[in-house]
Amino acid sequence: MTEGTTFTSTKIAQEMARVFGAQIKTFQVTLKDREAVQTYIRKYEDAHKNAAKSKLVFRG
Amino acid sequence: MMDSHRRVEAGNVTVHPVSSPFSFFAYTDNQFGGCESIHRCCSLARSHGVQTVVEESIPAVGLIADENAEITEYEPDHTMVALKRVSFWTTPFASETEIANQSDEGFFGYAILKHDRVPAKGFDRWHVFEAVFRGYANAHNCTPCTRDHHIRVGPKEFRISGRLYAQQNGLNKICAHVAMRSLLAGRVPAGDLSYRAINKIVRESRGPDYRPAEGFGVEEIREILHRFSIPFRDIDYAVESKTTTDIRTTHPYRKFIYAGIESGCGSLLGFRMAGPKATEGAHIVPFFGHTFNKDTWVPDAEMAYFNIGGSLGYIPSDSWTGSFIGHDDNIGPNLCVPRLYVDPAHADYALELLPDGVQYGGAQAEGLGIHYLYSLLPSLSQSENPWVKRLAKAANPEVKRVVFRAVCLRKERYIQHLSENVDWAGNRENPKMLEVLQNHLPAQLWVVEASLPHLFPANLRKVGEILLDPEIPATDQPIKANKHFLMARLPGSWAVMKAGTQDQPDFLDSPSAITTHFPLLLL
């Protein structure tokens, strides 16, 4: 196990290698704009938490 | 108890043939005090070619008896003057004995109409306790959030699929109460939600002197959802704009509303009224569908372009949405509200309901999907597949014209989607691959579909999709560790993250039998 190794879909990868054998290719990807994505998604989470401070009342 | 009012045996039954010269206007004005929302129910029925109305007097049982008891606690001189169950039929008949010959196909919908009187307040009014109507049978109407309701008419039970509408009365329920009931009926374990139960939760927050006519707010809406363990994502724009001045642009309300609709759960929009009603306080309405116009000008005019940050720009699939479909409790059911009609400056609150167990919303799933797809495409740029090439070109930072759509669904539904459809060349996915998916995907998925501007609206088809795990929280650490990514399907290829570092993971590429474009997922 290397530092920072991801395991999200390892089992699927192992199964696909078993089923498809020689048809499998491996390639490396550089993930782009990671900070921008984290910032965008974090804002939704922050907004959700902060909505607990809402003073809005609906009476219309 | 929860549906006994729909199934109770009626007393007096009257059948009205309603073709010309019958006047729904005169009927509503004379029988129901000209109530606007009842006018809306009748005009909806007329527009669908309804030919018969059955009007039944019913006793107050179940939820309605409970409402009467609750109102009396606030207004001791309250009386229920009348209660009618009115059903609308597209088939012509003229007598009570013919009801038994009718079928669900001819049943357009029903409304339970209640007449309350509180002399001390000068209150004497009809309102729609609830109604369910079929939506338009139009390919451009997307209403994935409908539920089945069973209702007795005369001697027989019928089934209608739609979204429950309810109107406020200002006595034990106002807009927030009925919006919550409309949103949660069918979602909560008991199958419906009483106003007494809502008011009990609200009172615990607002204090023992709380009166329903005061309304309630975001705090209580969230508490109600927490009590029923219903996940959601929401935003109060007044709170957020204190720290992020452009929040209404970067995280617009339409993203919450659309995402809630697309996943079949529904959404809420709270907004301030304008014009003469501006001083009446904020209003809140539920949405459960949208209209789709494949010829919309906006995406081609590059005015629908949305940017997450960095080079991650795209065209959201809601760009082709004409209107959101929802209820406004004082106007009536099944209304189309143009997508941008509510000025973002007046939209104060948006809420997206999520399926059970799901930890983040559709807009967040889109963000993750775009991130992974745009990262993968350069590695696949050597592909000979023309659709991969087209997608890679559209994803170019100078172009950014990929259409993305996020849908949350069960694994079985996704596998059914793959197995029952073929691509444009008539290919089906390899059964061995379907077995891998069945055995190893989690129970639920966010499927972020990727398409092109001239493929998505006209053909309702896509080039590929990113599969994400919806049950992992969308917080910084899991995102950094790529915990959400499951697989990517592109023409000719399944890509799976194998190992490697967080910033440069290794992928396996195995063959997909689907080599051209494929139908969209339609719930």
Side-chain angles (χ1 to χ4, degrees):
Chain A
M1 188 194 313
T2 55
E3 191 177 340
T5 300
T6 58
F7 296 97
T8 304
S9 42
T10 304
K11 278 192 183 158
I12 303 178
Q14 287 168 351
E15 185 64 11
M16 282 168 61
R18 186 188 70 77
V19 171
F20 293 101
Q23 297 176 79
I24 297 283
K25 290 176 261 184
T26 303
F27 61 100
Q28 192 178 66
V29 170
T30 301
L31 295 177
K32 297 159 58 166
D33 294 306
R34 283 165 72 66
E35 271 305 317
V37 164
Q38 269 180 252
T39 300
Y40 176 72
I41 291 172
R42 188 187 309 126
K43 194 61 194 167
Y44 280 97
E45 293 300 303
D46 289 347
H48 176 57
K49 283 197 195 77
N50 293 337
K53 302 176 202 161
S54 174
K55 300 292 176 216
L56 264 177
V57 175
F58 304 106
R59 55 174 75 93
Chain B
M1 158 172 148
M2 288 303 187
D3 66 351
S4 54
H5 59 293
R6 298 182 197 124
R7 293 173 135 146
V8 67
E9 189 174 348
N12 193 40
V13 179
T14 309
V15 178
H16 302 282
V18 297
S19 300
S20 169
F22 181 92
S23 167
F24 271 127
F25 271 81
Y27 179 61
T28 303
D29 287 344
N30 297 336
Q31 302 297 323
F32 304 114
C35 174
E36 282 298 312
S37 56
I38 300 175
H39 269 301
R40 166 63 186 166
C41 292
C42 292
S43 71
L44 193 60
R46 181 68 80 200
S47 73
H48 280 76
V50 157
Q51 301 197 57
T52 312
V53 162
V54 176
E55 182 187 320
E56 302 172 282
S57 295
I58 56 171
V61 298
L63 285 182
I64 301 179
D66 189 55
E67 171 168 283
N68 288 342
E70 190 192 13
I71 295 174
T72 307
E73 292 167 18
Y74 306 124
E75 310 291 349
D77 63 333
H78 165 261
T79 54
M80 186 189 81
V81 178
L83 188 65
K84 300 282 189 180
R85 190 169 61 205
V86 179
S87 52
F88 300 84
W89 302 84
T90 56
T91 42
F93 55 97
S95 67
E96 187 181 341
T97 53
E98 291 177 86
I99 295 173
N101 300 333
Q102 304 311 307
S103 69
D104 293 345
E105 282 65 42
F107 184 30
F108 174 64
Y110 76 94
I112 294 180
L113 311 177
K114 190 166 179 267
H115 185 182
D116 293 294
R117 192 176 283 154
V118 182
K121 289 173 84 99
F123 184 104
D124 186 344
R125 179 181 319 164
W126 285 91
H127 79 286
V128 180
F129 178 81
E130 70 177 49
V132 179
F133 292 98
R134 264 195 252 146
Y136 280 101
N138 184 319
H140 287 186
N141 270 32
C142 307
T143 47
C145 310
T146 55
R147 302 268 187 276
D148 283 347
H149 297 81
H150 297 271
I151 181 148
R152 179 179 185 153
V153 182
K156 192 171 166 182
E157 274 205 4
F158 298 89
R159 182 178 58 84
I160 183 85
S161 184
R163 197 66 185 218
L164 186 129
Y165 159 76
Q167 184 182 4
Q168 61 175 282
N169 61 9
L171 299 173
N172 68 319
K173 58 199 179 188
I174 50 81
C175 61
H177 296 82
V178 295
M180 291 302 285
R181 182 172 172 229
S182 181
L183 206 60
L184 299 184
R187 182 81 187 256
V188 296
D192 205 335
L193 197 53
S194 74
Y195 297 111
R196 185 188 291 278
I198 294 174
N199 285 323
K200 180 172 181 290
I201 295 171
V202 175
R203 186 165 291 109
E204 288 169 15
S205 169
R206 298 214 146 242
D209 295 331
Y210 162 74
R211 295 292 288 260
E214 297 162 19
F216 61 87
V218 170
E219 183 180 340
E220 290 79 29
I221 287 172
R222 289 164 61 96
E223 182 59 26
I224 291 167
L225 294 172
H226 285 312
R227 292 286 181 101
F228 288 102
S229 302
I230 296 173
F232 62 98
R233 281 297 174 271
D234 61 345
I235 185 166
D236 179 322
Y237 285 99
V239 169
E240 286 313 300
S241 53
K242 286 181 185 149
T243 52
T244 311
T245 51
D246 61 350
I247 187 71
R248 291 172 193 268
T249 305
T250 60
H251 295 66
Y253 75 80
R254 68 175 198 271
K255 285 215 147 304
F256 290 85
I257 305 304
Y258 180 77
I261 292 167
E262 284 283 273
S263 291
C265 296
S267 35
L268 287 175
L269 179 67
F271 55 94
R272 274 165 285 135
M273 309 293 275
K277 291 180 177 278
T279 55
E280 287 184 8
H283 190 41
I284 191 159
V285 297
F287 287 107
F288 51 86
H290 64 79
T291 64
F292 181 86
N293 190 337
K294 63 184 177 69
D295 298 315
T296 297
W297 168 79
V298 170
D300 282 323
E302 298 193 358
M303 294 174 78
Y305 174 83
F306 191 77
N307 196 33
I308 285 172
S311 62
L312 301 177
Y314 69 106
I315 301 175
S317 60
D318 68 275
S319 302
W320 283 270
T321 293
S323 299
F324 294 123
I325 302 173
H327 304 318
D328 184 316
D329 71 290
N330 271 329
I331 298 174
N334 295 25
L335 297 163
C336 287
V337 178
R339 185 168 69 96
L340 298 177
Y341 179 77
V342 176
D343 186 340
H346 289 146
D348 290 330
Y349 180 69
L351 179 145
E352 170 195 354
L353 279 192
L354 303 175
D356 290 345
V358 173
Q359 297 284 324
Y360 54 97
Q364 294 164 290
E366 264 181 16
L368 285 169
I370 291 155
H371 166 55
Y372 287 118
L373 184 68
Y374 280 22
S375 300
L376 273 166
L377 280 170
S379 304
L380 299 170
S381 62
Q382 303 308 310
S383 168
E384 293 300 315
N385 186 294
W387 286 100
V388 176
K389 287 184 190 237
R390 289 188 184 106
L391 197 63
K393 187 177 170 188
N396 185 295
E398 302 300 313
V399 178
K400 295 189 234 186
R401 285 182 67 73
V402 180
V403 180
F404 284 97
R405 170 182 181 248
V407 182
C408 193
L409 75 173
R410 312 255 346 140
K411 166 179 71 173
E412 289 75 20
R413 179 69 188 90
Y414 175 66
I415 293 170
Q416 180 188 16
H417 163 70
L418 287 181
S419 67
E420 288 182 351
N421 288 287
V422 295
D423 71 4
W424 198 245
N427 300 309
R428 286 188 194 280
E429 187 51 86
N430 186 332
K432 286 186 193 171
M433 191 62 216
L434 297 180
E435 201 178 318
V436 170
L437 300 177
Q438 178 59 47
N439 291 340
H440 295 286
L441 284 179
Q444 295 192 99
L445 305 165
W446 270 117
V447 179
V448 183
E449 300 181 304
S451 187
L452 298 170
H454 295 296
L455 180 68
F456 174 80
N459 303 74
L460 297 179
R461 297 181 77 90
K462 59 188 170 184
V463 180
E465 60 248 3
I466 303 287
L467 307 185
L468 303 169
D469 190 334
E471 298 189 14
I472 295 176
T475 47
D476 282 357
Q477 278 310 311
I479 294 174
K480 272 178 105 163
N482 302 311
K483 290 287 186 197
H484 302 90
F485 181 85
L486 292 167
M487 307 178 77
R489 186 191 65 75
L490 290 170
S493 171
W494 283 97
V496 182
M497 199 181 288
K498 188 182 81 165
T501 65
Q502 291 176 353
D503 293 329
Q504 289 192 306
D506 294 330
F507 281 77
L508 287 191
D509 176 11
S510 77
S512 169
I514 298 169
T515 59
T516 70
H517 52 81
F518 202 73
L520 291 175
L521 265 163
L522 298 175
L523 295 187

